[in-house]
Every structure is written in C-alpha cells, then in structure tokens.
Amino acid sequence: MDKKDAIAIRLRDIKKIYKMGGQELAALNGINLDIKRGEFAALMGPSGSGKSTLMNILGCLDRPTVGSYELEGKEVAHLSDDELAVMRNKHIGFVFQNFNLLSRISSLENVALPLVYAGVGASERRKRAQEVLEAVGLGDRAEHLPNELSGGQRQRVAIARALVNNPEIIMADEPTGNLDTKSTKEIMEIFQEMHGRGKTIILVTHEPEIAVCANRQLLVRDGVITRDEGKGVVLDVV
Amino acid sequence: MAFTALYANKLRSLLTMLGIIIGVGAVIAMVSVGMGVRSNVQESIASLGSNMLIVSPGSSNRSGPRGAAGSKTTLKYEDAQAIESKVRNIDYVSPNASGNYQIVNGNQNWNTSVQGVTPGYMDIKSLSVQSGSFITQEQMNKRERVAVIGTTVAENLFGSENPVGKKIRVNNQPFRVIGLLESKGQSSMGQDQDDVVIIPLTTAQERVLGITYVNSISIQVSNAKYMDQVQEDVEILLRQRHKIVGGKEDDFHVRNLTSLMETMTQTTTMITLLLGSVAGISLVVGGIGIMNIMMVSVTERTREIGIRKALGATFNNIMMQFLIESVVIGVIGGIIGIFLGCGISSIIAKVGGFNTVITWAPIAVSFSFSVGIGLLFGILPARKAARLDPIEALRYE
C-alpha cells in the first residue's frame, strides 16, 4: 500500500444536530473531508461556526448525528463511549489551549497518564515518559509539578503527553492561545518537527499567522467547510 | 493514585474517615462492654455452682390453705444417698438442712443462717477453707458439734483473731470452730455468701433443728449435656421412693440453674446486640459521610475526569479510581477505628471497674462493614464520575 497517499481521516456527510427546546440546530451540516497521513492541517473559523464540534468529532470525543467517519480505516461514527476511549488512547494525542495537565502529579506522571490507560507496566511507563520529555527538551523537569513550570514548558509537557503512546494523529486546539510570542515560536517548531516525522496534525486556530505554518488551511463557516487551500502538500512518511 | 488524591485533601479525608473511625470504634467498644457484662453474669452464676440441680420439697397441703414450697417434710437424707448411689453421671450430692440461729462467742453475738451439710457441699459450692479444715464424713457420722464459719461471721465474733479451734455457741450449744472459709463476696442476687455457719447435716438435724428431713438436695452433674437425663432419673427415683404413682402430683421439685444461666445469657446477648446495633447506626452515618464527600470530590475534579477520559480512560477506569479512593477511606478508617475501639474498651475496663471482653467477631464484622460501606457508598459518586461527558468535563471550570 502506498503509505504516502493513505487516508488517515475520512468524513462523509457528517451532520451534528442539537435539539434545543423543540428546535433543531445543525452545528455541522454535511462535512466531507479527507485528510491524508502526514498532513498538517489548520482548522479555522469564527466562534459558532461548528469548528469546535468538528474538532470534538475528529477527536473521537463526540459522535456525529449522521454520517460516516473513518479513522485509520476504521468506522468510528457509532462506537460506544468505551470504544471511543480506546480509539483516543491508541490513535489520537490531544494538545489543549489551557494545557489540561493534572496539577497534583509531576510532569513525568502527567506524560505517562495515557500509558496507564493503555495498560503499560509502571517501569515501562516511566522509561517511555522520560524519553518523550527529553525529546521536547524537558528531561530535567520530570519531577516538577505543572505549576512550577512556565506556560511554554507546560505546553511542551502536554505535547509530550500527546506523543507518549505514539499515536498517528495529533489534535491541537489553540495550542498557542495562552502563550507569549517566544513560547509560541518554540511550540510551533515542535509541531513542524512532528510533522517532519510523519505525524498527521490537525491544528485548530483563529490566528492566520499560526495557520500558515500548516500545509493545508480549512475554513469552517455555518457548519460546512467553505475553503480548503494547499491540499496535497505532504511530506514523505517514514 | 488514590493515596495521592486523599493526601492532597488531608483534612477532608481525615474528617471523612472520622465518621468511620467513630462508627467502628463504637461498635467494638459497645460490643466488648456487652460481652463483658455477659461474662460477668456467667461467672457469677457459675459461682453458685455449675451444672447444678436442686431438689426441694413441694408445698405441704394438697387441699385447703397450702404451705410455701419447700415446707413438706418428705425429703430425707436417705433420698440423697439413694440418688448418689443409683443415678449415673453425678459428681456430688449434697443434702442440706438450715435455720437461723443466734451465734455467741463470749460477749459477742451474731444472728445468721446455720447450714447442715455433708462433706460434698464444699465441692458443689466451689468453697475453699483458708485455715483449718472442712467437715469430714467421720464428724458427720458421730454428729459432732463442729462448725466451719464464713469470714463475715468470723469478723463479727472474733474480730481479727483466728477463730479456728475456738468455741462458739449455736442455739446455746457449744460448737468447736474447725475451719474458716475463703471469702466469696456477694452473690449475684446481693446475698453475702460469707455470712454463714456450716455444721454437719446430722448434727443440724438432731442437735440443733430437731428434724428428720432435709430442706434441699443439691446435685452436681458431671457434664452439662447430662443435665436433662439426670434430672429425669432423679425425678423417677424420688417418685418411686416416695411411692407417687400415676398422675399424682410430685411432693418435690427439681430445679435447674442452667435455665437461669440460659435466660441471663440470652438477656445479655440482647443487650450486646442492642448496643452493637446502636453503634452500627453511627457506622452507616459515617458511610453517608463518605458518599457526601466523594460527591463533592467528583464535582471538584470534573476537569480531571475530563482530561483522563480524553486520554483514553474508560468508564471502568474512572469508576475504579473513585471506588478505590472510598474503599481506602473505609479501610484506613476501619483500622484506626479498631484501635480506638480497643482503647476505649480498655479505658472502660479500668475506669468502670468491670471486665470488657474484646473478641475477634465484632472487630472482623465492623471492619468488613466499614470496607463494605466504603464500597457501597462509593458506587454512586464513582458512577457519577465515570458517566461524565468528556467534552462537558473538559469545559468545566
């Protein structure tokens, strides 16, 4: 199989309809989208456009009302909660705007958390978490609590956590929204590096200067994709 | 993981545990007090003589005004001898005839009960002699005027002097004191068991009381399981000897201290259960405390739950995390409660001055109860946590 053109994500006619006081409200109104392996896509759109809903469905946090979603060749649109949890654990790494680290446990333990739910043994967890922390340049901060770190460092811990179980896809929701310019630059460099190593990256942002780092820019408006630029610029997958 | 979470909220965890600690402690302390009361009662009944049957004469008249129970004169020393020789599984038989008399030593006098007994009386009543000796069979046969006296009598007639070998007058007849009984203290019925003068049965019948019958016959059965059989054999034998046939009423009664013991044991068991269940209620209240705090904890950690779920935690993962936390509260609280309960019961024993008995049963039951309560009352909050929608939970501030 030609890995380069393999499809990581395939959405077909995805609709998400919320019922509010008898009225039906379509947050997503027929999304069709293919994202190839190794693509770096930026998802943009004003608030209320359905961008977050799309992100939640892509991240297997939510299910579409109708439509088909194939993730790494597996239909996931109608899986149970626990099956979705397993998909998230295996295939997706999350990076959030507000880091979402657990404040009571060390950086290392935060990074190792996905491995706990993947059923990896304790010593193996520590070893792999330490490796990933070193890869993002925080090997010496392993025993620090998150609130002892700067914003940029916290986000790097979060990225290490997203990478630790070696998922194919990284979902980043406004990863630089709470960071200063210098940290933003550092974080975006890490994303570029991940992209270089063949990860599929989906980056939600509303800042055009961040979006240009990606190879493909998608614009969501009123529940549909209205613009799709730079399609097909993919680096070789190792 | 559970310990980290509990340690992060030290004060709150401790206060939650306090409910369980007090519950478990109270159960153990209360049950040990109850068991202590029971063993006290059993001891005092046993000191009356264990495995004892008492034969007493019936009332004197069958028609017209009836005399009091025991006023018949049909029970004889020979009946006692017959029982001893013919009924199996008997350790001792002790007939007894008694009356109240003035006892005099010089210018001191004392009014007390004079018991005419056989040598077997010492064993049947678990008596012992602190100085001198008890009545012998020879003294019985010779109707000797000898007496063994209790410590209360000795104090009143002799003060601190040793009475053994001294003369006393019983009903104006001279008696030689041959022994002083070991003090037995009060009986459970409030009688002073040391206020007694013991003389040979034959002497009592012929020289003091002037009667030919005995007031009662005490029988010590060799083993508790033969009680019913011996009681039946004694009744048959006495009916034969007294020539009572068919449906005619017995002229004697055979009473049984086991039934008294059973009643008392039942009563104290009830008391123990009552105390234990009152304490058990506090254990349940403690459990509700756990549930309450776990509910708060779930709400407070909504975001953490959201993060864990996003990273791949399943329903069961989250459920277990919170269940383990509440079970850990139950286990630690239970262990501390056991120490507290044991401590309290030993303090009660010291300060209250009576025995408390700590047994494994209430410890095991209340401990497993506290763990069970942690589990049971943890289920609801844990389910609440595990069911949270990850999107909602991540958005929670």
Side-chain angles (χ1 to χ4, degrees):
Chain A
M1 193 173 109
D2 185 6
K3 276 190 173 178
K4 189 173 163 181
D5 290 324
I7 298 293
I9 286 170
R10 167 171 285 165
L11 299 183
R12 285 293 175 268
D13 200 28
I14 292 288
K15 287 184 184 170
K16 182 70 183 179
I17 294 158
Y18 293 106
K19 286 202 172 82
M20 288 177 123
Q23 269 199 317
E24 289 192 348
L25 191 81
L28 295 178
N29 206 353
I31 300 269
N32 290 294
L33 177 66
D34 285 343
I35 294 175
K36 294 199 190 88
R37 280 198 185 158
E39 252 188 301
F40 187 175
L43 197 58
M44 299 204 294
S47 55
S49 60
K51 179 184 57 171
S52 300
T53 309
L54 180 57
M55 183 71 186
N56 287 337
I57 289 174
L58 285 174
C60 291
L61 289 164
D62 203 357
R63 278 177 291 252
T65 314
V66 290
S68 148
Y69 172 17
E70 275 180 35
L71 175 67
E72 294 291 328
K74 185 175 160 67
E75 176 61 51
V76 297
H78 302 289
L79 292 182
S80 72
D81 286 348
D82 281 356
E83 286 166 328
L84 284 179
V86 173
M87 291 304 288
R88 290 196 292 272
N89 186 256
K90 271 193 190 161
H91 301 291
I92 301 168
F94 287 97
V95 180
F96 301 95
Q97 178 174 5
N98 47 12
F99 323 129
N100 277 339
L101 297 172
L102 298 189
S103 56
R104 286 195 310 263
I105 57 178
S106 70
S107 308
L108 188 77
E109 288 171 298
N110 263 295
V111 172
L113 215 48
L115 298 178
V116 173
Y117 299 118
V120 177
S123 59
E124 174 74 6
R125 287 205 297 266
R126 287 190 69 83
K127 187 174 145 269
R128 278 166 66 177
Q130 183 66 38
E131 281 169 13
V132 183
L133 267 178
E134 274 160 19
V136 298
L138 287 175
D140 56 338
R141 295 282 195 277
E143 298 307 325
H144 285 60
L145 293 177
N147 55 18
E148 295 165 349
L149 302 173
S150 73
Q153 287 172 326
R154 284 186 218 181
Q155 195 60 298
R156 278 193 273 161
V157 171
I159 291 171
R161 182 180 64 185
L163 290 171
V164 74
N165 203 23
N166 203 21
E168 296 90 346
I169 301 163
I170 302 292
M171 299 257 172
D173 189 359
E174 306 267 9
T176 58
N178 285 356
L179 299 178
D180 57 28
T181 327
K182 184 171 166 285
S183 304
T184 299
K185 196 163 161 283
E186 284 171 11
I187 296 300
M188 290 319 293
E189 276 165 12
I190 295 176
F191 276 104
Q192 293 289 2
E193 193 197 324
M194 287 194 286
H195 176 51
R197 281 190 284 135
K199 296 283 180 203
T200 310
I201 299 170
I202 299 171
L203 176 75
V204 175
T205 183
H206 59 258
E207 293 173 67
E209 55 270 40
I210 299 295
V212 293
C213 295
N215 309 110
R216 184 178 176 188
Q217 286 82 30
L218 297 158
L219 185 67
V220 183
R221 193 166 291 222
D222 298 329
V224 288
I225 293 172
T226 55
R227 209 165 68 200
D228 188 350
E229 288 173 358
K231 197 174 178 178
V233 186
V234 182
L235 287 170
D236 285 343
V237 178
V238 182
Chain B
M1 221 149 68
F3 287 102
T4 331
L6 293 176
Y7 190 74
N9 282 307
K10 283 180 284 289
L11 183 63
R12 186 199 286 175
S13 306
L14 196 73
L15 288 175
T16 313
M17 274 176 209
L18 205 56
I20 292 297
I21 293 172
I22 291 174
V24 172
V27 168
I28 292 173
M30 290 300 109
V31 171
S32 76
V33 167
M35 304 279 269
V37 170
R38 179 156 78 177
S39 82
N40 278 7
V41 167
Q42 275 171 344
E43 257 170 48
S44 55
I45 291 177
S47 76
L48 292 175
S50 49
N51 300 341
M52 189 114 96
L53 289 175
I54 296 170
V55 186
S56 53
S59 61
S60 58
N61 276 313
R62 201 152 293 151
S63 58
R66 298 177 69 175
S71 56
K72 267 211 159 165
T73 60
T74 49
L75 213 52
K76 299 281 170 18
Y77 178 38
E78 289 73 27
D79 288 331
Q81 285 172 319
I83 291 169
E84 190 157 25
S85 59
K86 291 192 178 147
V87 179
R88 282 171 300 126
N89 302 320
I90 288 178
D91 282 350
Y92 307 103
V93 175
S94 169
N96 167 304
S98 64
N100 273 302
Y101 290 98
Q102 191 86 6
I103 320 291
V104 180
N105 169 42
N107 60 355
Q108 301 293 315
N109 76 88
W110 185 247
N111 200 317
T112 190
S113 138
V114 175
Q115 304 276 343
V117 303
T118 54
Y121 187 78
M122 185 160 98
D123 295 307
I124 212 164
K125 284 278 189 182
S126 336
L127 300 175
S128 52
V129 176
Q130 55 168 293
S131 72
S133 58
F134 201 72
I135 291 159
T136 63
Q137 191 61 44
E138 205 194 333
Q139 288 162 336
M140 262 294 284
N141 296 343
K142 289 184 178 168
R143 299 164 179 76
E144 274 185 43
R145 289 193 182 92
V146 291
V148 178
I149 63 175
T151 51
T152 306
V153 177
E155 269 165 39
N156 282 291
L157 294 181
F158 297 96
S160 55
E161 255 181 285
N162 184 355
V164 177
K166 302 274 175 14
K167 294 275 191 232
I168 54 172
R169 295 181 80 82
V170 177
N171 197 21
N172 257 334
Q173 297 182 57
F175 275 73
R176 185 163 53 90
V177 177
I178 55 165
L180 178 62
L181 292 173
E182 198 79 58
S183 174
K184 281 197 88 176
Q186 274 202 353
S187 73
S188 56
M189 308 301 171
Q191 271 175 331
D192 181 359
Q193 298 179 92
D194 301 323
D195 189 8
V196 69
V197 171
I198 293 170
I199 61 177
L201 176 67
T202 46
T203 318
Q205 281 180 318
E206 291 175 28
R207 296 186 196 270
V208 181
L209 296 160
I211 55 171
T212 55
Y213 56 89
V214 297
N215 294 128
S216 69
I217 302 171
S218 304
I219 303 163
Q220 169 130 12
V221 180
S222 58
N223 190 311
K225 67 183 174 189
Y226 299 127
M227 290 294 276
D228 290 341
Q229 175 246 316
V230 170
Q231 181 164 358
E232 205 171 300
D233 291 353
V234 168
E235 278 167 3
I236 292 167
L237 180 69
L238 289 181
R239 281 173 74 89
Q240 281 173 356
R241 288 182 58 84
H242 295 181
K243 302 186 172 58
I244 302 163
V245 288
K248 278 174 96 182
E249 211 179 320
D250 290 349
D251 62 353
F252 59 90
H253 293 290
V254 182
R255 282 176 298 123
N256 185 333
L257 284 182
T258 333
S259 63
L260 178 66
M261 176 103 83
E262 268 168 19
T263 315
M264 295 296 252
T265 310
Q266 258 174 18
T267 313
T268 51
T269 308
M270 292 283 279
I271 294 170
T272 310
L273 276 177
L274 183 73
L275 288 172
S277 56
V278 169
I281 290 171
S282 70
L283 200 53
V284 173
V285 173
I288 294 171
I290 290 190
M291 179 153 73
N292 198 357
I293 286 300
M294 290 305 290
M295 282 291 191
V296 173
S297 172
V298 167
T299 310
E300 207 177 49
R301 287 153 68 190
T302 300
R303 199 179 177 80
E304 173 190 332
I305 295 160
I307 295 170
R308 289 180 183 277
K309 285 201 135 187
L311 298 180
T314 59
F315 182 89
N316 285 339
N317 291 144
I318 301 291
M319 184 96 181
M320 284 309 290
Q321 181 189 345
F322 282 88
L323 268 188
I324 288 170
E325 256 173 58
S326 65
V327 169
V328 164
I329 290 180
V331 169
I332 298 179
I335 291 171
I336 300 176
I338 287 170
F339 284 108
L340 184 78
C342 295
I344 288 177
S345 86
S346 64
I347 289 173
I348 290 176
K350 280 212 179 87
V351 177
F354 66 95
N355 284 344
T356 53
V357 178
I358 299 169
T359 52
W360 282 110
I363 292 179
V365 168
S366 61
F367 180 71
S368 46
F369 219 73
S370 72
V371 176
I373 273 176
L375 196 65
L376 186 73
F377 288 100
I379 285 175
L380 204 64
R383 269 179 72 85
K384 188 185 165 198
R387 281 179 143 178
L388 282 176
D389 175 26
I391 302 170
E392 295 290 325
L394 279 171
R395 216 177 282 156
Y396 186 86
E397 287 301 331

